Amino acid sequence: MMSWINRWKPHYVRIDSRHPEALGICDDSDFAFNISDLAEQMEWRGNRLVGTNFYRGRPFLDTPQEQNRPPRVKADPYPVTDPRLPQPDSDHYPLYGIPVSSPQEVTAHLNALNWTAPTPKPADVGDPDGLPPSGTPQQIMAKLNTIPWSAS
């Protein structure tokens, strides 16, 4: 029972007989304060401070956490009005060996490839252990020419 009475000690209370003022209880510490010394606890919600309906004595007020504010994000850059993309220097695109021509021809060439076909395995070239084929260079070339290498 003594601990409850100790909370009402006039530690934070100013009493003036000429100008009486009501007392209030701090929601955080349960100490008595003059009503004018109680302030609403604020916190960031979005880009503004909002009251939490908790009234605390001024020594017990928390500063609102800046980490609860949304980050400041810069605007996206404006798009380039007339972009100039780099053109290939050679007569072929760097990938796929496609000759440089109109975009429609390039698209038709890429669409003609069978992209779902499995990669052909050379069946009779080389050893089953994955070693390179044996024989003269002419024999090896003849074996390699019999393999269907095209994807279509």
Side-chain angles (χ1 to χ4, degrees), residues 107-118:
T107 304
H109 181 76
L110 288 173
N111 287 337
L113 294 175
N114 186 0
W115 294 95
T116 59

Side-chain angles (χ1 to χ4, degrees), residues 12-13 24-41 54-63:
Y12 296 105
V13 176
I25 302 297
C26 173
D27 289 333
D28 187 30
S29 64
D30 287 336
F31 285 127
F33 283 88
N34 292 67
I35 287 290
S36 62
D37 291 336
L38 289 175
E40 187 175 11
Q41 180 64 51
F54 287 107
Y55 287 88
R56 294 179 170 178
R58 300 222 184 258
F60 298 101
L61 276 177
D62 294 330
T63 56

Side-chain angles (χ1 to χ4, degrees), residues 58-145:
R58 300 222 184 258
F60 298 101
L61 276 177
D62 294 330
T63 56
Q65 289 291 322
E66 291 286 331
Q67 66 190 8
N68 293 336
R69 295 182 81 175
R72 293 185 179 180
V73 180
K74 294 181 181 180
D76 289 339
Y78 290 105
V80 179
T81 54
D82 191 16
R84 301 290 181 186
L85 300 176
Q87 300 297 319
D89 295 334
S90 65
D91 292 339
H92 292 81
Y93 280 109
L95 297 175
Y96 309 117
I98 302 169
V100 175
S101 55
S102 70
Q104 292 82 9
E105 291 177 11
V106 171
T107 304
H109 181 76
L110 288 173
N111 287 337
L113 294 175
N114 186 0
W115 294 95
T116 59
T119 307
K121 291 186 196 174
D124 59 346
V125 178
D127 294 339
D129 297 332
L131 298 173
S134 58
T136 64
Q138 290 82 11
Q139 292 171 340
I140 294 171
M141 285 305 292
K143 288 180 182 178
L144 288 174
N145 286 334

Side-chain angles (χ1 to χ4, degrees), residues 43-52 68-70:
E43 75 177 24
W44 286 103
R45 292 188 185 163
N47 269 338
R48 60 189 185 126
L49 284 171
V50 177
T52 60
N68 293 336
R69 295 182 81 175

